[in-house]
């Protein structure tokens, strides 16, 4: 019975994420408008047959902007998580493998990044670098590096002194090679889980930054900046604020369900981690 | 225990030194300067006037000199003067800190009141449907952006009840009821995510404890389920929950920045955002230092609390 | 049980205590930003001026149509076009009780002229040759050349008269005020509210009518509206078009609108290609539809304008009467062809997330696309925007320009060769010559001819597209009487406002 429930969670997550992937791949088939197409005669229209989610202050179709916004969200989320993952795992491996002062230094740096409020860090990074999509990816990538570093470091430490590794070393196999191979296999499960949860965090952070005006800038459609501009109009046009928000919630939920389900399937021991 | 605390306290100094270097130079790395923003795009100035303004804004000296001057003052407890308002920085921060702390505490309290009972319930209830609902529900709670929840709450209350207290903030000690009424929506917006984390954490922790040997022993001794729960399980299960709360204090403080902005609360987060926007370096640096201190303090407190509740933990 | 009823009683009393003092001749004003500082000669922020105008006076001021009228100076003589003799009102007291004399006026102007002060008003006074105190109530100012806009400059908030003794004591007036204005500052809780109390010794007899004015800082426009609706504000500075639309439908709320004096512009870095090409600039000007920009970006709360702010109605020629002032896509395409860009061209537009600049940029982008001009919009944070503005680091830029009721004040600094805020690298000998003539003439009819020519030339050479002047607006609850709004957004006429009970 329990297993089935876990699968429900996982399945639901997969369905949601696949839905969004589908949407982002076939944008132009899904909607007849373009995201930047303005219509001054049709400003802030309530949802209707022509515009199922209504229009914004420029008369642009909100549904279309959400659809195209999916691409931005995916782009930002996957590339920033890729950065976190690669840097994090590298740092974790080096740290766990060499130990000593290198370990100490790297882990303190990770601690500083980790303990600082993510939002604050992101605001600072964006202020210094400027508000381009590339910089958002970089900022989010840096911020979520420590989680990956910790997971992989812990894993290195746990296998480093195992008998068969020591035996392999005694037989003259390169220590680094064996550990890397063994560990990468070992941490794969936790990394996958971590990655899918981080995807959700990345989307949330991107939208919050864009909401503050520090993220993706208009006219590029991003859910966060749609919400940011909608603040001015939402009292007369609530749909400008409701739908982009729902789009965020659903995708983030999808990644969360996916990660949570994966965790149960891949490694029940990991359940305590979050 | 006390040596441990002293050791932890001693670490604060190098940490603060590091933070001071990072925050000082990073805030000066932000393109533009306080003087430029003061001038804006509509003010005429001759080169000699610009030179004078540079002096007024302290931008005539090299960065490194300014850093040492700042640290020297800092050691004397002087956080400097705002370039934007020419007010002393520290009193300004201290005037705003209570609001941010109140917001954090209120939302934390709400989160605990909602999250822990649901978490315990979820652990005890063996109905798979209920646990599925709680699980998806808590994941949903984690998936709702705080700022969007806040916007929706405002929209809902403003549109349908014509009720909005935004901009009418009153301090707690002046008017507790008005204050709480005002803080309710911001706290709810911040509490939901945290509550969801607590539901999940409490549930897992509780399940683990319930499966542990000493609980089984207690049960086999014939103790009633209620006693087992209260005396043993709950206490042990809530231990790790405390760490989580400490751990998420940063999350809450970070969230406070956005929430303060949306609800126009005069807290430290909004002060920081404004300072960044205006390149008001002394204020940026001051707020970050204070937030960092707060942070270190919370983590220390959590550690100590943990030690008191569970003396088995060895401090090394 | 007893405890509970005590608590109820207590909170009831507390509630009473808190509610009563709030009403009774208090005007609660919602304003979006906190004041940066209060020193009238130093500040540059709009938000500071909104406070300063209640606290200080100038020699002369504006009436609601932005005509110069007496303020501290009861009258003035101009024996020739470079000499001004001001006669001060007698018995004007600063808020600390000390009398204002011509010495304070001289001190203020000397202070503004001193480069160490860093005063933005220095530009208004830069032609001042001598300042002489003739007697405690008379001051004579001579200029090195005639400046037609001199009085308009003196009416600026930056030329408010400050007390010599207080400045000498405090160094500057950023934190403490000591003015002559209708209100005194009585409490300041930063980023929350500012409380002003009636100046009983104010020189206009019987004014101000309202005892207490409270400025509450409310950054969010919608919150401002809900606060007004919820009766926790009496008057609110609302700029957002959509919120204004909502407020206009409300029976209990009055929306006051006047065409503003500021101007949104679309300008180029003329040193960069393709903007050095006249036909390209004319093509862009012909592709731009001002009415549509006003309608979409400003929700209709604005008025298309030409090179002179439309609110300066004596001088301004409406854009549609000027060359390239009406949208004409066919002509735009022809001009592009003439310029050698029939296959389209592309450039970047710089804007900031402030003052509607980003919205305007998006509408312009859509309009230019219609004639085959592809643009990329760069929306940057305000500090970055200012930084790049200074460095002239942009192809094209959307701006909000501070206007003036006098054409010389507005145009000279912006389009004269190397003018202080001519960040377009625009240089045109013919226009320079006309501007030089216009600033020394004092006969309005003669001047008008010159500025008519300037407007035609600017429209034709199209270094900048002057887009529209945003409407200046406030919303207040029913029952306020006598409030007037000035095109420069000043709230000065709070002093003439009465609350009907």
């Amino acid at each position: 019975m329990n297993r089935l429930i876990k699968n429900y969670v996982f399945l639901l997550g997969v369905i949601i994420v696949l839905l969004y992937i589908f949407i982002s791949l076939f944008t132009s088939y899904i909607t007849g408008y373009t995201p930047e197409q303005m219509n001054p005669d049709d400003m802030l229209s309530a949802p209707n047959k022509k515009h199922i989610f209504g229009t914004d202050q420029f008369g642009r179709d909100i549904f279309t902007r959400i659809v195209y916004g999916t691409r931005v969200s995916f782009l930002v989320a996957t590339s920033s998580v890729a950065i976190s993952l690669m840097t994090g795992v590298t740092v974790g491996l080096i740290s766990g493998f060499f130990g000593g002062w290198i370990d100490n230094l790297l882990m303190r740096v990770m601690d500083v990044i980790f303990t600082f409020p993510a939002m604050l860090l992101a605001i600072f990074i964006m202020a210094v670098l400027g508000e381009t999509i590339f910089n958002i990816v970089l900022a989010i990538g840096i911020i979520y590096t420590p989680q990956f570093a910790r997971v992989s470091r812990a894993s290195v430490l746990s296998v480093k002194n195992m008998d068969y590794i020591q035996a392999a070393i005694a037989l003259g196999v390169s220590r680094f090679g064996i550990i890397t191979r063994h560990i990468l296999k070992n941490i794969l499960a936790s990394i996958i889980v971590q990655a899918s949860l981080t995807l959700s965090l990345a989307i949330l952070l991107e939208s919050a930054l864009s909401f503050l005006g520090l993220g993706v800038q208009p006219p590029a459609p991003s859910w966060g900046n749609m919400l940011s501009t909608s603040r001015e109009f939402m009292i007369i046009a609530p749909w400008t604020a409701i739908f982009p928000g729902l789009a965020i919630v659903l995708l983030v939920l999808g990644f969360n369900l996916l990660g949570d389900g994966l965790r149960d399937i891949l490694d029940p021991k990991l359940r305590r981690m979050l | 225990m006390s040596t441990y605390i002293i050791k932890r306290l001693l670490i604060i100094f190098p940490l603060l030194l590091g933070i001071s270097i990072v925050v000082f130079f990073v805030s000066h790395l932000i393109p533009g300067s306080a003087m430029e923003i003061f001038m804006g795009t509509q003010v005429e100035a001759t080169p000699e006037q610009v030179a004078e303004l540079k002096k007024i804004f302290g931008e005539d000296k090299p960065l490194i000199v300014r850093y040492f001057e700042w640290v020297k003052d800092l050691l004397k407890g002087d956080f400097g003067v705002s370039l934007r308002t020419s007010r002393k920085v520290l009193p300004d921060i201290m005037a705003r800190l209570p609001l941010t702390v109140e917001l954090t505490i209120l939302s934390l309290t709400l989160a605990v009141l909602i999250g822990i009972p649901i978490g315990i319930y979820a652990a005890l209830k063996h109905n798979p449907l209920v646990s599925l609902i709680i699980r998806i529900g808590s994941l949903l709670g984690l998936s709702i952006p705080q700022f969007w929840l806040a916007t929706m709450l405002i929209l809902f209350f403003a549109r349908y009840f014509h009720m909005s207290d935004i901009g009418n903030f009153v301090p707690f000690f002046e008017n507790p009821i008005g204050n709480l009424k005002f803080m309710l929506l911001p706290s709810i917006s911040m509490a939901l995510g945290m509550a969801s984390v607590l539901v999940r954490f409490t549930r897992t922790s509780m399940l683990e404890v319930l499966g542990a040997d000493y609980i089984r022993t207690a049960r086999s001794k014939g103790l009633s389920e209620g006693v087992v729960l209260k005396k043993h399980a709950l206490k042990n299960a809530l231990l790790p929950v405390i760490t989580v709360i400490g751990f998420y204090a940063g999350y809450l403080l970070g969230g406070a920045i956005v929430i303060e902005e949306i609800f126009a609360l005069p807290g430290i987060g909004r002060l920081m955002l404004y300072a960044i926007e205006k390149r008001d370096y002394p204020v940026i640096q001051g707020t970050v230092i204070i937030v960092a201190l707060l942070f270190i303090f919370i983590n220390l407190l959590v550690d100590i609390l943990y030690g008191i509740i569970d003396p088995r933990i060895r401090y090394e | 049980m007893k405890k509970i009823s005590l608590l109820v009683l207590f909170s009831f009393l507390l509630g009473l205590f808190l509610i009563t003092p709030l009403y009774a001749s208090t005007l609660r004003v919602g304003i979006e930003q906190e004041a940066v500082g209060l020193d009238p000669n130093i500040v540059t922020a709009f938000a500071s001026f909104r406070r300063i105008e209640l606290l200080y006076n100038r020699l002369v001021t504006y009436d609601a149509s932005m005509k110069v009228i007496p303020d501290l100076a009861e009258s003035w003589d101009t024996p020739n076009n470079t000499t001004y003799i001001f006669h001060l009102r007698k018995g004007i007291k600063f808020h600390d009780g000390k009398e204002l004399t011509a010495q304070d006026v001289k001190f203020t102007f000397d202070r503004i002229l001193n480069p160490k002060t860093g005063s933005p008003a220095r530009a208004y006074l830069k032609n001042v040759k001598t300042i002489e105190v003739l007697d405690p109530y008379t001051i004579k100012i001579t200029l090195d050349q005639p400046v037609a806009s001199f009085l308009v400059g003196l009416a600026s908030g930056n030329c408010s008269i400050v007390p010599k003794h207080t400045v000498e004591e405090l160094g500057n007036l950023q934190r403490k005020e000591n003015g002559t204005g209708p209100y005194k500052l009585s409490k300041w809780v930063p980023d929350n509210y500012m409380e002003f109390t009636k100046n009983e010794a104010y020189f206009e007899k019987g004014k101000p009518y309202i005892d207490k004015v409270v400025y509450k800082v409310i950054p969010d426009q919608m919150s401002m509206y809900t606060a007004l609706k919820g009766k926790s504000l009496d008057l609110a500075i609302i700029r957002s078009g959509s919120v204004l639309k909502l407020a206009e439908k409300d029976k209990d709320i009055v929306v006051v609108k006047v065409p503003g004096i500021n101007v949104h512009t679309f300008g180029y870095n003329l040193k960069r290609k393709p903007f050095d090409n006249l036909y390209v600039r004319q093509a862009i000007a012909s592709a731009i539809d001002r009415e549509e920009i006003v309608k979409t970006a400003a929700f209709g709360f604005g008025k298309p304008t030409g090179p002179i702010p439309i609110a300066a109605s004596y001088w301004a020629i409406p854009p549609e009467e000027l060359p390239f002032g009406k949208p004409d896509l066919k002509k735009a395409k022809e001009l592009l062809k003439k310029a050698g860009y029939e296959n389209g061209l592309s450039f970047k537009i710089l804007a900031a997330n402030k003052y509607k600049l980003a919205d305007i940029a998006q509408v312009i982008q859509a309009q230019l696309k219609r004639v085959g001009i592809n643009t990329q919009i760069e929306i940057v944070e305000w500090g970055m925007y200012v930084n790049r503005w200074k460095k002239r680091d942009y192809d094209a830029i959307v701006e909000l320009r501070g206007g003036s009721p006098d054409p010389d004040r507005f145009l000279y600094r912006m389009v004269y060769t190397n003018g202080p805020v001519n960040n377009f690298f625009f240089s045109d000998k013919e226009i320079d010559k006309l501007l030089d003539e216009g600033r020394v003439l004092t006969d309005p009819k003669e001047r008008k001819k010159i500025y008519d020519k300037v407007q035609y030339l600017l429209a034709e050479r199209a270094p900048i597209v002057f887009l529209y002047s945003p409407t200046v607006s406030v919303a207040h609850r029913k029952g306020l009487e006598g409030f007037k709004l000035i095109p420069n957004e000043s709230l000065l006429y709070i002093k003439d406002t009465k609350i009907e009970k």
Side-chain angles (χ1 to χ4, degrees), chain C residues 349-353 357-359 361 377-381 385 396-398:
Chain C
I349 303 176
L350 183 67
N353 238 328
L357 305 183
D359 291 343
I377 300 180
E378 293 176 276
I379 294 170
V380 295
E381 172 267 355
Y385 176 87
I397 185 169
V398 182

Side-chain angles (χ1 to χ4, degrees), chain B:
Chain B
M1 177 88 183
S2 58
T3 39
Y4 170 76
I5 295 175
I6 290 168
K7 245 168 115 181
R8 281 292 301 264
L9 283 173
L10 283 177
I11 297 178
I12 293 179
F13 293 100
L15 206 59
L16 275 183
L17 181 74
I19 292 171
S20 78
I21 293 174
V22 171
V23 71
F24 184 88
F25 290 98
V26 166
S27 50
H28 282 85
L29 270 180
I30 306 174
S33 78
M35 188 196 86
E36 273 183 18
I37 289 177
F38 169 81
M39 303 262 298
T41 61
Q42 294 302 300
V43 174
E44 309 167 26
T46 57
E48 41 169 349
Q49 257 180 309
V50 172
E52 282 300 329
L53 275 175
K54 272 198 170 154
K55 244 185 243 169
I56 294 172
F57 281 93
E59 286 171 20
D60 54 332
K61 291 176 203 154
L63 210 53
I64 190 86
V65 175
R66 281 189 265 163
Y67 172 71
F68 282 111
E69 283 178 357
W70 176 60
V71 170
K72 213 174 80 194
D73 288 343
L74 212 56
L75 290 176
K76 286 185 268 175
D78 180 2
F79 279 65
V81 172
S82 159
L83 299 175
R84 188 168 72 96
T85 64
S86 53
R87 277 195 299 265
K88 287 241 164 221
V89 172
L90 191 60
D92 255 20
I93 294 177
M94 285 309 164
R96 284 141 180 284
L97 197 58
L99 183 134
T100 308
V101 172
E102 187 194 339
L103 184 62
T104 314
I105 291 176
L106 271 181
S107 46
L108 195 60
T109 314
L110 267 178
V112 167
L113 288 180
I114 301 166
I116 293 186
I118 296 182
I120 294 172
Y121 178 79
L124 296 181
K125 197 83 184 175
H126 294 291
N127 182 338
L129 188 67
V130 171
S131 77
L132 182 70
I133 290 171
I134 289 180
R135 189 161 167 199
I136 294 183
S138 66
L139 283 173
L140 184 65
L142 276 176
S143 309
I144 299 177
Q146 289 177 348
F147 69 88
W148 187 65
L149 182 61
T151 331
M152 287 298 109
L153 288 174
I154 295 177
L155 180 64
F156 192 72
F157 281 92
R159 203 176 150 86
Y160 299 105
F161 296 99
H162 296 299
M163 186 186 112
S164 163
D165 274 323
I166 295 164
N168 289 322
F169 173 73
V170 277
F172 183 75
F173 293 106
E174 265 175 41
N175 178 357
I177 297 158
N179 173 282
L180 287 180
K181 217 175 95 191
F182 185 77
M183 296 292 270
L184 190 65
L185 294 186
S187 310
I188 292 176
S189 328
M190 273 172 69
L192 184 71
M194 181 77 202
S196 308
V197 172
L198 285 179
V199 168
R200 297 165 57 73
F201 211 87
T202 312
R203 176 174 165 270
T204 331
S205 175
M206 199 64 191
L207 282 176
E208 225 160 75
V209 171
L210 287 176
D213 287 346
Y214 59 89
I215 296 289
R216 275 191 222 128
T217 321
R219 279 203 183 116
S220 65
K221 276 199 296 189
L223 290 176
S224 80
E225 194 64 24
V227 175
V228 171
L229 270 180
K230 260 189 218 150
K231 279 199 112 169
H232 302 277
L234 218 53
K235 193 182 143 206
N236 286 302
L238 290 185
L239 255 179
V241 175
I242 291 173
T243 346
V244 182
I245 294 175
F247 189 76
Y248 272 83
Y251 166 85
L252 287 174
L253 273 173
I257 298 176
V258 189
I259 295 298
E260 282 173 16
E261 175 69 16
I262 295 176
F263 287 93
L265 297 172
I268 199 168
R270 199 148 70 92
L271 180 67
M272 189 168 355
L273 272 185
Y274 274 14
I276 292 176
E277 195 190 310
K278 302 283 180 205
R279 313 289 190 269
D280 194 341
Y281 306 114
V283 179
I284 304 178
Q285 293 150 10
T287 43
V288 174
I289 293 274
I290 295 289
V291 168
L293 270 175
L294 203 68
F295 222 82
I296 296 169
F297 176 73
I298 292 172
N299 279 317
L300 184 64
L301 203 71
V302 169
D303 279 359
I304 294 171
L305 210 63
Y306 210 82
I308 292 169
I309 299 174
D310 188 357
R312 281 172 307 173
I313 291 172
R314 290 271 166 272
Y315 295 99
E316 283 160 25

Side-chain angles (χ1 to χ4, degrees), chain A residues 253-270:
Chain A
L253 179 66
F255 280 127
N256 272 331
L257 290 169
L258 195 71
D260 209 47
L262 270 175
R263 177 153 52 198
D264 286 340
I265 295 164
L266 292 174
D267 190 354
K269 271 182 292 176
L270 277 169

Side-chain angles (χ1 to χ4, degrees), chain A residues 164-201:
Chain A
Y164 71 99
I165 301 266
Q166 295 298 337
I169 292 166
L171 285 172
V173 181
S174 139
R175 242 177 86 175
F176 190 74
I178 198 162
I179 290 187
T180 312
R181 217 173 309 140
H182 187 94
I183 284 165
L184 284 180
K185 210 166 76 194
N186 198 41
I187 60 176
L188 197 65
S190 30
I191 292 290
I192 291 175
V193 172
Q194 185 66 47
S196 91
L197 294 175
T198 311
L199 280 170
S200 72
L201 293 175

